[in-house]
Amino acid sequence: MNKAISELRDNLRVVLAIGEYFDHARFGIAHTYGNFTDGAGVLRQGFGLQRHAFQQLPVFIVGNGPSLDQCFDYLHQYKDQAVIISCGTALKALHQHGIKPDFHAELEQNRATYEWVSQVEDPEYLKQITLVSVNGVHPDTMTLFKDTLLCFKDGEASTQLFQAALKANNIQTESLSFAYPTVTNMVMNMVLRLGFENIYLFGVDLGFVDINYHHSRSSAYYKQDGSQIYDYQKVHGGGLPAQGNFLPLAYTKPEFDVSRKLLEQSIAQSSQRSEVYNCSNGIKIAGAVPLLPENILLSPVSNDKQQLLQQLVAKGYQRLEKGLPLQIIEQLDLTMLKQTIAAWLDLLSEEVVSEQKAIQLIDKQWTFLLRTKLEAGNPTFILLNGSTNYFSAIMLKLVSTDQEDNSQLAAFNEVLAVWREYLAEAAAEYQADQLKYDEVSMQYLLRKHKED
């Protein structure tokens, strides 16, 4: 029981860290609008359930785990036979070893993905690669690549808004259920949904054997002399013991362990016609057959790889008509948002003087927010549902903690004051710049890296 409780706490930390909140919702909507306006394709619903010649192509999903450093020769050997998909920071390592993936995948919404990718200081190389991602990827990142192919991600505000609107226009789109917490999860979910029959994992270690060797040494996590750009163990800890894929023991982190569990669910819920092979010297993934890279045997593909991939893109992905993304955004009524927030703040205006009043206030807030979900054009629910969940959880925990001096009520009112300020600022910012993109930057890290 203690082990189960400990694992639950670790998983909850990860879920809270990746849960949606106001900024994520607003930027997700703006980025989706920008990506579709700029011509990104979106995956058609049910396309992978049909039989296609491209599904016979083996797929190499390349993560940035430390065991990737032992796999470059095999990637070179099979690069003309297999579809290579690089995941996140693995791209720089592949570029350094002269391997050009067919697709590159990013998951994060913030602009840091643009700066990570830009570390590959070879624009011509990038312009030969197609980006695959979820709908909320940063539009600046999209500009670095030849083309962009997107898929909606379940449960997000941007997905709810755009998928419903596209369905009303007779456009049926696919949505991924297991596209988190790592980019590898998104790619696995996507290729299984596309119906690829043979999938191989390289550098998808989801952990490490040696704490000082936690990613490929050819990636941006290490300097040219092989030293780490920061003390990984000091920041992330020494890792949790787990069953290895090839070795009896490896080490992982809570977020990687969640990633493993969701990879396993994704494999388990996919069609039986897909075989997954784990060629990574990391932690074991149930449903993925351990396979040493030197034991890979690929059957020859009768058709040209590039021709098959062109058919995949042309038939599997739809480009939206010009003007449709703007029509979807224009459905959001900013006047209704302003009026709703004013009424909400009025509801929360008085300080609570008892536990019963505090619980009643939380209940009233939920009833109020859920009612806005039913109002056509009102964006309040999709923008603030996640943040409301978070603040309500904090306030409920405070009010349920008994203190002899009733100090929990004072703490509750302090949080309530912050929540009121949060709501007012969120509404004001959204009305001021509805289509603003995320501006997160990692330039300070890059500068520090160069200085060191």
Side-chain angles (χ1 to χ4, degrees), residues 37-51:
T37 298
D38 292 340
V42 60
L43 183 58
R44 299 176 189 272
Q45 187 178 57
F47 176 70
L49 296 175
Q50 306 161 20
R51 285 289 182 178

Side-chain angles (χ1 to χ4, degrees), residues 254-272:
E255 57 267 38
F256 283 164
D257 199 40
V258 171
S259 173
R260 172 191 61 81
K261 292 173 183 175
L262 289 169
L263 283 172
E264 293 173 349
Q265 290 182 41
S266 186
I267 295 169
Q269 294 190 19
S270 68
S271 66
Q272 295 300 311

Side-chain angles (χ1 to χ4, degrees), residues 21 52 135 188 201-202 251 256 260-261 270 286 294 369 385 389 397 412 419 441:
Y21 46 94
H52 305 279
N135 53 290
M188 174 68 85
L201 307 179
F202 295 87
Y251 295 90
F256 283 164
R260 172 191 61 81
K261 292 173 183 175
S270 68
E294 56 263 35
L369 181 60
N385 177 44
N389 261 313
K397 181 178 180 180
F412 181 97
W419 178 224
S441 174

Side-chain angles (χ1 to χ4, degrees), residues 14 206-208 215 230 232 236-240 251-259 283:
V14 176
L206 299 178
F208 39 82
H215 289 83
Y230 66 91
Y232 193 85
H236 302 288
L240 308 170
Y251 295 90
T252 187
K253 299 189 300 179
E255 57 267 38
F256 283 164
D257 199 40
V258 171
S259 173
I283 65 172

Side-chain angles (χ1 to χ4, degrees), residues 27-230:
F27 292 136
I29 292 170
H31 294 179
T32 303
Y33 162 79
N35 291 331
F36 286 147
T37 298
D38 292 340
V42 60
L43 183 58
R44 299 176 189 272
Q45 187 178 57
F47 176 70
L49 296 175
Q50 306 161 20
R51 285 289 182 178
H52 305 279
F54 73 79
Q55 293 165 338
Q56 298 175 20
L57 290 169
V59 177
F60 288 2
I61 298 177
V62 183
N64 192 32
S67 70
L68 176 61
D69 289 342
Q70 285 74 55
C71 297
F72 292 118
D73 288 343
Y74 302 103
L75 296 176
H76 268 293
Q77 181 180 347
Y78 295 115
K79 64 184 179 182
D80 295 326
Q81 293 175 257
V83 180
I84 298 179
I85 307 176
S86 62
C87 297
T89 52
L91 182 61
K92 188 172 186 289
L94 291 180
H95 175 259
Q96 188 169 322
H97 286 266
I99 300 169
K100 177 173 64 66
D102 301 287
F103 301 97
H104 174 66
E106 291 288 350
L107 177 63
E108 298 298 329
Q109 187 186 86
N110 60 58
R111 195 178 182 276
T113 57
Y114 173 87
E115 294 172 344
W116 276 108
V117 173
S118 296
Q119 288 183 82
V120 178
E121 297 176 343
D122 189 345
E124 185 178 343
Y125 170 85
L126 295 175
K127 281 297 183 181
Q128 298 176 62
I129 302 169
T130 294
L131 176 68
V132 290
S133 188
V134 290
N135 53 290
V137 69
H138 202 288
D140 288 357
T141 305
M142 173 177 160
T143 64
L144 297 171
F145 295 92
K146 175 179 69 174
D147 192 12
T148 300
L149 305 175
L150 303 176
C151 192
F152 285 105
K153 181 181 173 187
D154 278 357
E156 297 200 341
S158 53
T159 295
Q160 295 172 31
L161 174 65
F162 277 84
Q163 265 204 318
L166 293 178
K167 187 176 181 180
N169 283 272
N170 297 315
I171 300 173
Q172 307 292 334
T173 55
E174 198 66 80
S175 183
L176 302 180
S177 305
F178 302 103
Y180 67 96
T182 72
V183 63
T184 307
N185 291 90
M186 186 272 291
V187 174
M188 174 68 85
N189 201 179
M190 180 190 72
V191 297
L192 288 171
R193 199 66 66 89
L194 284 169
F196 282 99
E197 296 173 5
N198 294 288
I199 302 162
Y200 299 80
L201 307 179
F202 295 87
V204 184
D205 297 7
L206 299 178
F208 39 82
V209 176
D210 178 356
I211 184 60
N212 295 312
Y213 192 7
H214 42 80
H215 289 83
S216 166
R217 292 196 190 276
S218 298
S219 70
Y221 282 90
Y222 291 89
K223 301 175 186 177
Q224 289 187 348
D225 63 3
S227 61
Q228 304 177 75
I229 63 169
Y230 66 91

Side-chain angles (χ1 to χ4, degrees), residues 357-389:
K357 291 290 184 182
I359 293 171
Q360 288 176 355
L361 184 65
I362 295 171
D363 287 341
K364 286 180 182 178
Q365 174 171 260
W366 272 119
T367 301
F368 177 87
L369 181 60
L370 289 172
R371 191 165 59 244
T372 68
K373 187 179 181 181
L374 305 176
E375 298 172 354
N378 193 339
T380 306
F381 183 86
I382 61 171
L383 289 173
L384 289 159
N385 177 44
S387 293
T388 306
N389 261 313

